[in-house]
Amino acid sequence: MRTNYLCEKEISGCSVAGIMSEEGRKFSGELIMKSISVMRERANGLGGGFASYGIYPEFSHLHTFHLIFENNRAKQLTEEYLKENYLIEKDEPIPTREQGSIKHPPGLWRYFLKFKKRRKEGGFTEEDKVVRTVMEVNTKIGGAFVVSSGKNMGIFKGMGYPEDIGRFYRLEEYEGYIWVAHGRFPTNTIGWWGGAHPFGLLDWAVVHNGEISSYGINKRYLSNFNYHCRLFTDTEAITYLFDLLVRKHKLSLEMASLALAAPLWDTIERFPDNLKSIARAIRLVYGSALLNGPFSIIVGHSRGMLGLVDRIKLRPLVAARSGDMLYISSEESGINEVSSSLDKIWQAKAGVPIIGELKCLSH
Amino acid sequence: MPISLILPEFMIERDDAKCIACQVCVRQCANDAHIYDDEEDQVYADSSKCVGCHRCEILCPTGAISVKVNRFQSKENANWTALVQRNIFKQAESGGILLSGMGCDKPYPIYWDHILLNASQVTNPSIDPLREPMELSTFLGQKPDKIEIDESSKEPELITKFAPQLFLEMPILFSAMSYGSISYNACLSLARAAKKMGIFWNTGEGGLHPDFYEYGENTIVQVASGRFGVHPQYLEIAGAIEIKVGQGAKPGIGGHLPGEKVSEDISHTRMIPVGSDALSPAPHHDIYSIEDLRQLIYALKEATRYEKPVGVKIAAVHNVAPIASGMVRAGADFISIDGFRGGTGAVPMVIRDNVGIPIELALAVIDSRLREEGIRNRASIIVAGGMRSSADIIKAIALGADAVYIGTAALVAMGCHVCQKCYTGKCNWGIATQDPSLTKRLNPNIATRRLANLLRAWSLEIKEILGGMGINAIESLRGNREHLRGVGLTATDIKILGIKPAGR
């Protein structure tokens, strides 16, 4: 099915939600499922998913791959390929339960991987190698798709309304300190589990509501750095941009936001001098990374969570704090549903990132 | 045998009932196509001298004149057309190279007209440029691949140092046209309009008249094979320097400004004796290969203390992508690519009409090539060669250009009617001439306003199109070929352009 439309761009509207404890306190998936379920109107049952951080503490030093297999052959080929570079410490089916509305799930498997001891390859970090593995599996092994590839985190997604997907994956049984969720409203009917959000790479998990009109150049820009957008979704491009800017180019999330949702030139003119020169430099160098068009995104990573809306705020995003808890949601209802006592609640400003940072070091 | 077998190209028709014999046409025609007979008190026309510039037609106060193409009725023949026969007659009579002006006028495919643009519907909102900001600001010059910021202290600081950049209010520049090929007033108008609208004009190989020094910040000065007018102050005053290797209208050949055009003023500006021919050699005699180009680029950078961008201009020819890559690797801060429809003051017709490739294809392959090599950030791409409208410009930017040069369009804005007789020096519109009685016809105040109007109109149109696409900054369109679709193109064209066919 997916190959038929492979050259077409996927377009979708959506709901997004994220909940995090900055103290690193863990809580079950119940909360996020409740939050995203009140925004059911924003999804159409063609995709839902979650990302959670801190769920595999006993394997926190291992790269954890969540995989979708459309057939046994794909599983076999993937395992052969993984074994070339990794030791599979543990692998198992991702636990699921019968859920009436979830039909024909593909094979869902998780692997806890350790690098084989090898002589060092010049210039490549462990993360670079994981990225390469993910790209190889996703592009070369038909019917196999890496859903997530971080440490001590995982992405659970599929075809259905998000709350049904959550129950299907038994998320109430997991405990994490960050949860990110997505309900999808695609305008086409591609029945493919890998196409749901969040999109993941390493410990990045991105959920996204919107359409990026700059996709064409974002994609070409990324290919300069060997990121190849094969899924024709904006979310894939956004994920790679975060990986490039933050992990590879070592920009902070604040600085990366200045690139992805760049302030208008007029606004930059009014910045203090040092910030003016930085914002100007960022626009000059990362102009092709500017995400232009309506979007609101929530990005999860192992040290925190980020919410961001486009430079002229064409999509909604609300945030709230209560003690050490940070809530981000497409609609206020998604926050009110899960917290009755908020310290503050505010509308995201165009291009201004909402940043949640883990205060403790234990995770 | 008659002296000439050539029939007039145009027929001047005069409505005698309307003609009041005021002789405006006689005074306006530098080609003497109108003759006043004072005995009869009547004006006659010598159609054989008419070049079809329409000056008389437009200025005739009673509307008595119409200039029509003379379709002489030879036997129909797709091969031996009237034009082919005329050209052979001309050469049989003169024994010389056929000359022409402006760009190629042959009906080669114009790819711009086979590319359609995108707009937003439902899934993303279009943006109304009347309500929302639309950013056309463009920076030309070398950019680093990434930047480094020191965020250790409270006040983050930029560590990365930037190469010099040119700032443009919109992604348009006036193409190189020398003082000599066009008049003082035409140059002045271009310079003023560039300054007024926050863009650049380009001196061509004509040097920079001291009167124009005040527009230096908005001036790109050329260093071409003849080195005319190149001196330290010339480099010092400019906003940027462009090494001209080639020109779209005449790839592979040089230039020739006939001595009769080298007036006192032009002699000073070009630093050559009055009345001497200004011959620009076909090659630079110090550039016989890419490493020589690198030396010249760095010589100019050294001379200007690395304070201004140095670019290189070439004509779009067959292997343009690897050549462009070499130019970037040689250190050019911007590369200017001139397609085969680019204009000129004088050119052998056989070259103009048969050498080079369309800018659309050249641009597509250069942008792709530089990206594949990972060096697209190292230089900006400016394209030229028959850009006719804001639509052409927006398509060029979506294909991958940073900015475009407009030459002919700017001349037309000033009154040019594309009669292609620039090389005669008798431009009735006062543009491509040095004859004082003709140059004074171009009022620089009016011409400046017309140029600025054109730029304003195009920038408004570009903003409308961007808004329709749901984009509010020009950099999000640059190289964004997702917004282009081809119609009526072959699969090969589509592949080379790197776009999808309409419907997909």
Side-chain angles (χ1 to χ4, degrees):
Chain A
M1 196 84 181
R2 118 173 110 127
T3 47
N4 293 353
Y5 295 96
L6 209 55
C7 59
E8 271 182 25
K9 186 154 177 259
E10 282 192 49
I11 294 168
S12 59
C14 303
S15 60
V16 295
I19 306 176
M20 136 167 226
S21 157
E22 290 193 315
E23 296 294 343
R25 289 186 297 114
K26 292 188 189 178
F27 48 95
S28 87
E30 200 66 57
L31 212 56
I32 191 81
M33 284 194 277
K34 220 169 140 188
S35 170
I36 196 86
S37 68
V38 296
M39 296 186 282
R40 192 178 168 95
E41 275 292 304
R42 302 184 69 89
N44 68 355
L46 290 175
F50 300 81
S52 184
Y53 294 81
I55 54 174
Y56 300 127
E58 67 275 34
F59 300 109
S60 62
H61 57 295
L62 299 179
H63 288 283
T64 305
F65 278 39
H66 282 195
L67 270 129
I68 290 174
F69 296 120
E70 282 168 0
N71 51 59
N72 276 335
R73 174 94 182 126
K75 181 163 182 286
Q76 194 189 329
L77 287 172
T78 304
E79 288 180 357
E80 277 170 23
Y81 176 68
L82 289 177
K83 281 174 187 166
E84 286 175 22
N85 292 302
Y86 305 87
L87 296 170
I88 300 176
E89 290 272 298
K90 183 180 174 181
D91 71 296
E92 60 185 7
I94 298 173
T96 56
R97 68 158 66 90
E98 285 284 319
Q99 183 74 20
S101 57
I102 306 296
K103 304 219 163 61
H104 316 299
L108 300 164
W109 214 268
R110 63 189 172 203
Y111 298 85
F112 298 92
L113 304 172
K114 198 170 160 179
F115 272 103
K116 281 186 179 171
K117 287 245 188 306
R118 281 246 185 110
R119 68 184 167 83
K120 284 209 167 166
E121 282 177 73
F124 288 108
T125 63
E126 217 173 272
E127 281 83 11
D128 292 336
K129 289 183 207 163
V130 172
V131 170
R132 199 164 62 191
T133 307
V134 173
M135 297 271 173
E136 290 277 312
V137 172
N138 289 353
T139 56
K140 300 220 170 120
I141 303 178
F145 182 72
V146 182
V147 173
S148 61
S149 49
K151 284 178 177 172
N152 199 12
M153 62 81 69
I155 290 173
F156 306 87
K157 64 184 187 182
M159 292 286 292
Y161 281 97
E163 57 274 24
D164 299 338
I165 290 288
R167 296 282 167 225
F168 170 78
Y169 278 109
R170 306 158 72 135
L171 293 186
E172 70 282 358
E173 295 172 9
Y174 293 81
E175 293 219 313
Y177 54 89
I178 300 172
W179 286 87
V180 173
H182 187 257
R184 189 156 178 254
F185 196 135
T187 52
N188 52 32
T189 55
I190 297 174
W192 186 53
W193 281 49
H197 299 196
F199 188 86
L201 182 74
L202 295 169
D203 71 339
W204 298 110
V206 178
V207 292
H208 160 233
N209 166 23
E211 187 188 346
I212 307 298
S213 307
S214 56
Y215 174 76
I217 184 56
N218 301 144
K219 181 181 79 171
R220 294 185 80 209
Y221 176 69
L222 282 163
S223 71
N224 295 349
F225 299 95
N226 281 319
Y227 293 91
H228 301 291
C229 297
R230 311 271 189 195
L231 300 177
F232 298 91
T233 67
D234 298 326
T235 322
E236 181 190 28
I238 295 169
T239 309
Y240 296 162
L241 285 171
F242 270 98
D243 193 52
L244 175 70
L245 268 53
V246 178
R247 185 176 67 85
K248 305 281 277 184
H249 289 185
K250 310 264 186 276
L251 298 182
S252 66
L253 287 168
E254 286 89 346
M255 295 303 156
S257 302
L258 282 179
L260 301 179
L264 299 165
W265 286 116
D266 286 354
T267 314
I268 291 175
E269 275 307 305
R270 295 193 294 272
F271 281 173
D273 281 346
N274 65 320
L275 199 58
K276 193 192 292 182
S277 62
I278 288 173
R280 185 172 175 271
I282 286 177
R283 281 199 73 173
L284 286 187
V285 174
Y286 295 108
S288 303
L290 170 62
L291 297 169
N292 211 318
F295 72 83
S296 54
I297 54 174
I298 301 176
V299 180
H301 60 103
S302 54
R303 301 294 306 164
M305 182 170 82
L306 168 135
L308 186 67
V309 282
D310 62 79
R311 62 202 307 249
I312 55 171
K313 202 180 179 193
L314 295 167
R315 286 289 152 99
L317 201 68
V318 186
R321 284 189 184 277
S322 168
D324 68 321
M325 299 296 284
L326 171 66
Y327 302 91
I328 306 177
S329 170
S330 289
E331 295 178 12
E332 204 175 319
S333 64
I335 297 172
N336 291 333
E337 182 69 13
V338 292
S339 180
S340 51
S341 61
L342 297 172
D343 300 337
K344 78 169 186 174
I345 182 159
W346 73 97
Q347 296 283 339
K349 282 197 185 129
V352 179
I354 297 156
I355 293 177
E357 259 179 294
L358 207 54
K359 302 279 191 285
C360 65
L361 295 169
S362 61
H363 291 294
Chain B
M1 187 118 184
I3 295 165
S4 174
L5 303 184
I6 301 167
L7 284 167
E9 219 178 331
F10 296 93
M11 292 303 282
I12 301 169
E13 289 172 12
R14 188 184 315 275
D15 184 341
D16 286 335
K18 286 185 182 165
C19 179
I20 53 169
C22 67
Q23 302 169 53
V24 163
C25 51
V26 179
R27 288 188 296 274
Q28 290 298 325
C29 187
N31 302 297
D32 302 324
H34 297 276
I35 306 137
Y36 176 65
D37 183 331
D38 52 359
E39 271 177 33
E40 300 273 338
D41 187 28
Q42 219 175 346
V43 182
Y44 297 96
D46 177 355
S47 289
S48 70
K49 290 181 174 160
C50 178
V51 299
C53 79
H54 301 279
R55 176 95 182 170
C56 57
E57 199 176 352
I58 290 163
L59 266 71
C60 175
T62 60
I65 302 171
S66 56
V67 175
K68 297 201 169 124
V69 175
N70 182 21
R71 306 212 177 277
F72 84 101
Q73 302 290 320
S74 68
K75 190 173 165 58
E76 241 177 61
N77 190 319
N79 202 33
W80 300 98
T81 61
L83 180 66
V84 169
Q85 292 181 46
R86 185 203 310 278
N87 286 343
I88 292 177
F89 291 151
K90 277 187 188 168
Q91 294 193 293
E93 286 167 21
S94 71
I97 290 174
L98 291 169
L99 280 185
S100 188
M102 318 298 296
C104 174
D105 58 7
K106 295 284 169 284
Y108 290 103
I110 299 174
Y111 290 91
W112 301 131
D113 296 338
H114 292 270
I115 297 175
L116 293 172
L117 297 164
N118 193 30
S120 304
Q121 299 290 296
V122 183
T123 53
N124 60 353
S126 40
I127 303 169
D128 185 346
L130 296 176
R131 291 162 183 263
E132 305 275 353
M134 279 290 152
E135 301 185 312
L136 302 187
S137 300
T138 299
F139 292 83
L140 302 180
Q142 189 185 125
K143 299 179 183 65
D145 280 336
K146 61 176 187 176
I147 61 172
E148 227 180 303
I149 300 164
D150 179 4
E151 291 187 76
S152 55
S153 69
K154 215 170 169 201
E155 302 245 304
E157 219 178 307
L158 183 67
I159 294 172
T160 310
K161 295 272 174 285
F162 272 69
Q165 306 284 323
L166 288 186
F167 170 70
L168 285 73
E169 293 278 356
M170 63 187 84
I172 305 173
L173 307 87
F174 293 131
S175 207
M177 289 177 278
S178 69
Y179 176 37
S181 75
I182 58 171
S183 65
Y184 176 95
N185 282 349
C187 288
L188 178 61
S189 307
L190 289 167
R192 281 187 187 170
K195 185 169 183 177
K196 188 173 171 186
M197 301 305 283
I199 65 161
F200 286 79
W201 73 296
N202 187 315
T203 61
E205 194 177 14
L208 188 64
H209 192 285
D211 292 359
F212 304 150
Y213 284 5
E214 61 177 292
Y215 306 102
E217 279 179 11
N218 294 87
T219 307
I220 296 179
V221 297
Q222 260 193 0
V223 173
S225 60
R227 297 287 195 275
F228 297 124
V230 180
H231 52 80
Q233 205 182 356
Y234 175 75
L235 302 176
E236 205 58 47
I237 270 166
I241 301 165
E242 184 176 72
I243 299 168
K244 180 206 161 181
V245 173
Q247 187 178 341
K250 41 184 175 183
I253 66 167
H256 178 190
L257 186 72
E260 57 263 35
K261 285 192 185 173
V262 180
S263 61
E264 187 73 37
D265 239 10
I266 288 177
S267 118
H268 279 298
T269 309
R270 295 209 176 200
M271 306 192 304
I272 52 172
V274 176
S276 67
D277 284 2
L279 291 166
S280 300
H284 282 247
H285 286 312
D286 54 357
I287 303 181
Y288 277 67
S289 184
I290 192 79
E291 61 271 22
D292 298 340
L293 175 67
R294 185 179 171 82
Q295 283 191 1
L296 183 57
I297 291 173
Y298 278 91
L300 292 168
K301 285 187 178 184
E302 285 285 339
T304 50
R305 301 172 304 280
Y306 295 85
E307 282 167 2
K308 44 195 79 180
V310 175
V312 181
K313 176 176 178 176
I314 58 161
V317 290
H318 297 179
N319 289 319
V320 73
I323 296 167
S325 162
M327 285 152 57
V328 175
R329 289 177 189 283
D333 294 297
F334 61 91
I335 57 173
S336 312
I337 315 294
D338 196 8
F340 83 137
R341 285 190 299 269
T344 182
V347 55
M349 201 187 285
V350 67
I351 303 256
R352 185 195 71 179
D353 291 349
N354 297 285
V355 182
I357 63 170
I359 189 62
E360 300 93 319
L361 303 180
L363 167 60
V365 296
I366 289 171
D367 180 64
S368 296
R369 177 68 173 253
L370 297 184
R371 284 176 193 282
E372 278 163 28
E373 295 187 16
I375 54 173
R376 180 64 184 84
N377 255 5
R378 280 207 220 160
S380 298
I381 301 175
I382 310 176
V383 294
M387 312 295 300
R388 303 158 299 170
S389 64
S390 60
D392 290 356
I393 293 172
I394 216 155
K395 289 168 189 176
I397 288 170
L399 271 183
D402 287 276
V404 303
Y405 268 134
I406 59 167
T408 304
L411 298 183
V412 172
M414 287 194 278
C416 164
H417 280 61
V418 200
C419 74
Q420 305 175 319
K421 292 289 189 291
C422 327
Y423 61 96
T424 63
K426 291 182 180 173
C427 177
N428 278 324
W429 295 95
I431 300 169
T433 176
Q434 302 306 325
D435 179 340
S437 68
L438 299 174
T439 58
K440 71 178 182 191
R441 291 178 181 179
L442 186 69
N443 179 326
N445 294 331
I446 295 171
T448 302
R449 192 172 68 226
R450 292 178 66 93
L451 288 165
N453 278 345
L454 180 73
L455 293 170
R456 179 176 179 274
W458 283 5
S459 71
L460 289 175
E461 288 176 346
I462 290 172
K463 288 177 179 182
E464 287 288 339
I465 295 172
L466 279 183
M469 290 173 170
I471 286 175
N472 58 7
I474 194 80
E475 60 258 45
S476 293
L477 181 70
R478 188 164 296 128
N480 191 344
R481 298 185 188 174
E482 281 289 319
H483 283 289
L484 303 175
R485 290 292 187 272
V487 280
L489 294 173
T490 66
T492 313
D493 293 334
I494 289 279
K495 198 172 165 211
I496 291 169
L497 288 166
I499 62 175
K500 293 174 184 168
R504 196 172 277 168

